[in-house]
Amino acid sequence: MNFSEELHGNLRDILASSLKATPSTAQIFADTAGAASSSPDAGLRNIVAGILFSRRFIISYQAVLLGLLLLFSIRYWTSRLCAPLRRRLVNTPSPTQHGEPPNWEHESASSSSSSTIIGDSPSPKVSKVDEDNERAPLLKREYHPATFGKLDYPIRGLLLYQPPPIPIINKTLPSNSYSYESLNIVHRRLGEVMCLLALVHSAGMIGVWYTILRPTGFSLAKFLLSKIVLLGIGAFVAYELIYFTSLGSFRQRWYELFLALHVLLQVLALVLVWFHHHNSRPYVGVALAIFLIDRLLYRMSFKIHSARASLTVCEDGQTVIVCTEPILTKKWQYLDYIGGAGVTKRWKPTEHVFLTVPALSRKHVIQAHPFTIASVAPDPYASSAELKLIIRAQDGFSKDLLTYAKAHDAVRVRLDGPYGSQNALHLLQQCDLAVVVAGGSGIAVALPLICAIGSSRKLCDVEQLRVSSSILLVWIIRHASHAAWAGSHMDALRKCGVKVIMPPPTAKNGHPDVPNIVTSWISAHDDNMFSGKAKTGVVCSGPDGMNRSVRNTCSSLLAQGRNVDVEVEKFGW
């Protein structure tokens, strides 16, 4: 037997012994690799070099990912830590001077003399304000961060654009956004890539068996039934089942089953990968630790709250209003910041909770479903506040809740939360013009958001009158009866000068031209009040098609030279 044949035999032995997944395999391969580097067989040298490169590449790949994660984390937390300073600078009012009165553009001259945007106080007398005050931002912007002018607008517009779903397979592509909606889409696409890589890995192992092990008499049955391969097949099947049960057609029809399988199959897959190969154990251990800390410690200890809630069936007969009044307690600043605070420590606009109603049935005891908090964020010094959820019945949990609500007016609920970011609120607070577009139950995001903009102002009444006229709310509803979801808030907003547009219900009149509504309002106010130099913030919450339409409209406005930023608030379940 010559040197090359001996090395080939050693490699076959290593591959066969690697099916036992023992740490000693690495040392055996390292010894043989050293000898293979001096082999006259070019093919053998290439195989060994490729294997050694892949081992180095995995480490460098992980290092690059960690480096990128570190950079993004530094950028994110720097922005978070500097945000209070920016807001203080933005909120610093400048002394008013006398001059020509501005041309107020709003439907009503009424305003609230309090710091909140909704109130019943009589409107103040409008004094003369100079042009600088007329062109002031929503929250008196005195802080001007360095920008590149309009040079970056085309790039921002391109990054903001979201293409339509991929034909045939109907897959939504992620866009340049930090919202929950985009993270959920990224989560799905990464899961699909992982399933594809698992398929490539499996095909590669079959290729190794066919080209190297099969000639030695190692049968396919023996190969497939070996411990390492059998565990790998189990993990592969588990992840493929996660993929197929996560498809929109399955998820929307059997949501509860999807949710249960998603968690159970993920746990099963991680356990199988743990025993599949020893090198995977650090990664699996970290993933399991994060999952268990989140589920058992964080969400079951710090965030959970049980309360009795009232149930009200709306006029349309398909919507349930769940309302409870938790007793608010004082925040433990540092502990709550680390461990998270529940609803008894107050909530903020656009945040959501996971709702559990054990009384519906046994299966609902372990189910938790996300809903946006539709009520205004409580005052920092309030002792209690109303927490309201708008739940549109579809199937499964929401349908069972509707049936229960028709026979009961109250029920015991469990609230897990609140969760969510304040990106949308911070965006609107730092802009000259604010646009909020809501579709259906997306009003649960819009109303608290607009009210928060008003309540955060520390401005005089005259400025608040002008500021309110720089806010646009577009609410698209399917049926006329859905208007009752907002109660009397719409009239109060109109009295405060907020431009409220409610197109005719889509069930009878079709979908309105939202891009034209948004574009015309922004263009008119930007040109008339800010000479085309306004910074506009847009927040949308509604169906996928509407969100994509609004996002792409903002992308077009950026291409036209308008300074527009957009945030999407939507659950991509």
Side-chain angles (χ1 to χ4, degrees), residues 305-325:
H305 172 71
S306 296
R308 188 165 182 81
S310 63
L311 302 176
T312 304
V313 180
C314 294
E315 181 183 347
D316 62 358
Q318 296 296 319
T319 306
V320 180
I321 303 296
V322 179
C323 186
T324 183
E325 293 190 12

Side-chain angles (χ1 to χ4, degrees), residues 3 66-67 76 125 153 161 177 180 211 246 253 273 316 355 361 401 418 434 440 463-464 469 481 483 540 572:
F3 181 73
L66 287 175
Y76 173 78
K125 294 182 179 180
Y153 285 10
Y161 178 79
S177 176
Y180 177 90
T211 57
S246 299
R253 183 172 297 182
V273 171
D316 62 358
L355 175 67
S361 67
L401 180 62
E463 291 171 337
Q464 183 165 322
S469 68
S481 59
C540 57

Side-chain angles (χ1 to χ4, degrees), residues 47 111 119 147 167 251 524:
I47 292 175
S111 177
T147 63
R251 186 178 67 252

Side-chain angles (χ1 to χ4, degrees), residues 21-70:
T22 58
S24 61
T25 305
Q27 184 59 44
I28 298 175
F29 176 78
D31 296 338
T32 305
S37 61
S38 58
S39 171
D41 190 337
L44 178 61
R45 291 199 305 271
N46 290 335
I47 292 175
V48 173
I51 296 175
L52 292 176
F53 170 78
S54 67
R55 296 177 64 179
R56 294 192 302 270
F57 175 75
I58 289 176
I59 297 176
S60 62
Y61 173 75
Q62 294 165 348
V64 170
L65 287 181
L66 287 175
L68 291 175
L69 179 61
L70 180 61

